[in-house]
Amino acid sequence: MIFSDVIAWASPGPSGGSAAAAKARLLLLDSLGCALAGLRHPRVTAFAQAMRHAFPGDVAIAGARLAPGAAAAVLAAATCWDEANEGLASAHGRPALPVAPLALVARAQGGDPALALSAFALGYEVAGRAGQAWRIRPGMHVDGSWHSLGAAACAAALIGLDQAGIARAVRLASCQIPFSLYAPIAAGMDGRNSYASHAALLGTMAAAGAAAGMDAPVAGFEEGRRIALGLEVPAPVTPPGEWLLEAAYLKPFAGVRHAHYGAAAAIELRSKSATPSPTVGRMRPTPLPGGEGYSRITLSTYAEALRYAGNRAPTAAITAQFSLTWAVACALHFGDLGPSAYTDEALADPTLRALEAAIELREDAALTAAGLRGATLTIGDQSATITGVTGDPDRPMAEAEALTKFHRFATPTLGEAGTAAAIAALLHDQPAKDLFG
């Protein structure tokens, strides 16, 4: 696959005021919000502190001062820590995951807002098309693989390389695409969250190599597909001229996208019996439809969701984020599925444990055969069927909802004034000050 035509088209970035430009800004904002929530986790802070030994610099993040590439690597890990960041269905992954951090660090350093936005959009378009072509095998994970091509394009654009230099950077990254394993998730280990960090660093190094005049074969991407994945036939990818980022989804819930349909069904069923709390304005845990018995709860959904997120009895946050049953249990219990569903307190809650254990998973063969996503949750004689959630192609997240999510994720770190300043910076090109708290 040759990326030079995509680079030539996308390098200028989306035109000002266009739908693509507006979506690029929302993707950057959402990525920052997810990263800010992730930066509050002790493991991410420890990661930042450890990185400073090899990559000291002047970017302040998580109590450390890091070189820009290392700061972006820490941001990438933080962005996916709560599994609430964006995705692109046609790529089966998250093109912005290592790309947005590079652009955000550039803004935090006082970089030109227009350059940061165009570099991000370019990186997204390269990564999205790489994801369309790089179809992983069972047992692999998407993060940290084809994303690195987008990171290379973004990093090269940010340091001022021309289109030929950007193409060299992408070729260099194409010859180094690693494949990542799903194994840490199944084992309840959070090393998966470092995969995107590797992609950010690989992209940064590929851009530096390209700036030095290094190069790699044009056919490297195809050779990698053949050797690693056994894919011989060129993959159909979206041609230049269509902004993939316009099709990107923003997540209304934390957790793997496959679990959102079951969670939405749970919230719909729960709303029939829950009452608002007069003290905190949130939904109280209440008796479920059908009473206290948990023996008649069934979730029916499509095969890919069962295969990718069928983890039972999760004991760690990373596994719970990829668990259909945990998502449904938390949504039934709390009327929500946010980062708090994956805290140590939630994972130790005996009520949630009993509820999760009582949920039976079944395949909805009709959904699988039709290639559709959705879920039906049945409790006793009541059921709810969800055929779409916010972020699906026919129901994109509106700016107002994206802002509500950003406030929820960012304000505990930035405060109200800092959150407002971040919104002004990313949506309206105002100066970016203290983006990372």
Side-chain angles (χ1 to χ4, degrees):
M1 177 179 176
I2 299 174
F3 292 94
S4 56
D5 54 350
V6 177
I7 293 168
W9 162 70
S11 287
S15 59
S18 66
K23 186 61 172 288
R25 292 177 184 277
L26 279 186
L27 286 167
L28 279 174
L29 187 74
D30 188 73
S31 296
L32 176 61
C34 292
L36 289 169
L39 288 171
R40 295 194 290 271
H41 290 276
R43 191 68 59 87
V44 181
T45 300
F47 184 42
Q49 295 296 326
M51 289 285 276
R52 67 187 171 88
H53 297 292
F55 302 101
D58 58 4
V59 180
I61 184 169
R65 300 191 71 86
L66 301 176
V74 171
L75 273 184
T79 299
C80 65
W81 206 269
D82 292 316
E83 197 64 28
N85 54 304
E86 58 76 46
L88 180 67
S90 66
H92 287 244
R94 296 94 71 86
L97 183 50
V99 178
L102 293 164
L104 290 169
V105 168
R107 285 300 316 275
Q109 290 187 292
D112 176 46
L115 175 59
L117 188 68
S118 63
F120 167 70
L122 167 64
Y124 197 98
E125 296 306 308
V126 170
R129 287 164 173 81
Q132 289 177 337
W134 194 266
R135 305 303 309 135
I136 62 172
R137 289 176 168 175
M140 293 181 178
H141 194 281
V142 295
D143 288 355
S145 57
W146 48 262
H147 306 77
S148 57
L149 276 67
C154 180
L158 287 171
I159 63 174
L161 297 190
D162 60 14
Q163 292 181 9
I166 295 169
R168 286 198 303 276
V170 172
R171 289 196 292 271
L172 286 166
S174 294
C175 288
Q176 302 174 69
I177 300 178
F179 66 76
S180 306
L181 298 182
Y182 184 87
I185 295 172
M189 298 177 177
D190 51 23
R192 187 288 310 245
N193 295 332
S194 70
Y195 293 174
S197 304
H198 181 270
L201 287 171
L202 174 54
T204 299
M205 291 187 290
M214 298 179 187
D215 206 346
V218 170
F221 186 81
E222 284 79 4
E223 187 171 353
R225 290 178 76 243
R226 179 178 58 80
I227 294 173
L229 305 176
L231 299 173
E232 300 279 357
V233 179
V237 298
T238 303
E242 179 181 338
W243 290 101
L244 293 180
L245 56 80
E246 288 193 60
Y249 59 79
L250 301 182
K251 286 183 173 181
F253 302 124
V256 68
R257 180 79 174 163
H258 296 301
H260 289 195
Y261 303 93
I267 291 170
E268 181 175 316
L269 273 186
R270 183 184 184 279
S271 68
K272 297 177 181 180
S273 61
T275 56
S277 166
T279 56
V280 297
R282 297 185 64 183
M283 303 302 285
R284 291 173 172 171
T286 59
L288 301 175
E292 292 296 330
Y294 293 154
S295 61
R296 298 172 59 199
I297 305 177
T298 302
L299 178 71
S300 300
T301 190
Y302 52 99
E304 185 181 4
L306 297 171
R307 181 172 63 252
Y308 201 68
N311 296 304
R312 301 303 308 255
T315 58
I318 188 70
T319 311
Q321 290 165 358
F322 286 77
S323 172
L324 296 169
T325 48
W326 187 257
V328 169
C330 289
L332 281 171
H333 191 63
F334 297 118
D336 186 25
L337 185 62
S340 60
Y342 310 111
T343 62
D344 290 342
E345 180 182 5
L347 289 166
D349 188 324
T351 301
L352 284 173
R353 285 281 167 203
L355 186 51
E356 185 274 335
I359 299 169
E360 178 185 352
L361 294 176
R362 295 178 182 174
E363 181 184 355
D364 186 325
L367 283 177
T368 301
L372 298 175
R373 294 189 173 191
T376 297
L377 183 67
T378 301
I379 303 178
D381 59 358
Q382 297 189 45
S383 66
T385 297
I386 298 296
T387 58
V389 294
T390 298
D392 282 352
D394 61 339
R395 55 187 79 187
M397 183 180 287
E399 180 176 312
E401 190 174 357
L403 288 172
T404 297
K405 178 185 174 183
F406 182 74
H407 276 280
R408 178 183 180 185
F409 280 55
T411 301
T413 299
L414 298 182
E416 292 292 347
T419 299
I423 292 170
L426 296 182
L427 297 191
H428 307 295
D429 292 342
Q430 295 300 304
K433 295 179 60 178
D434 302 323
L435 281 182
F436 311 135

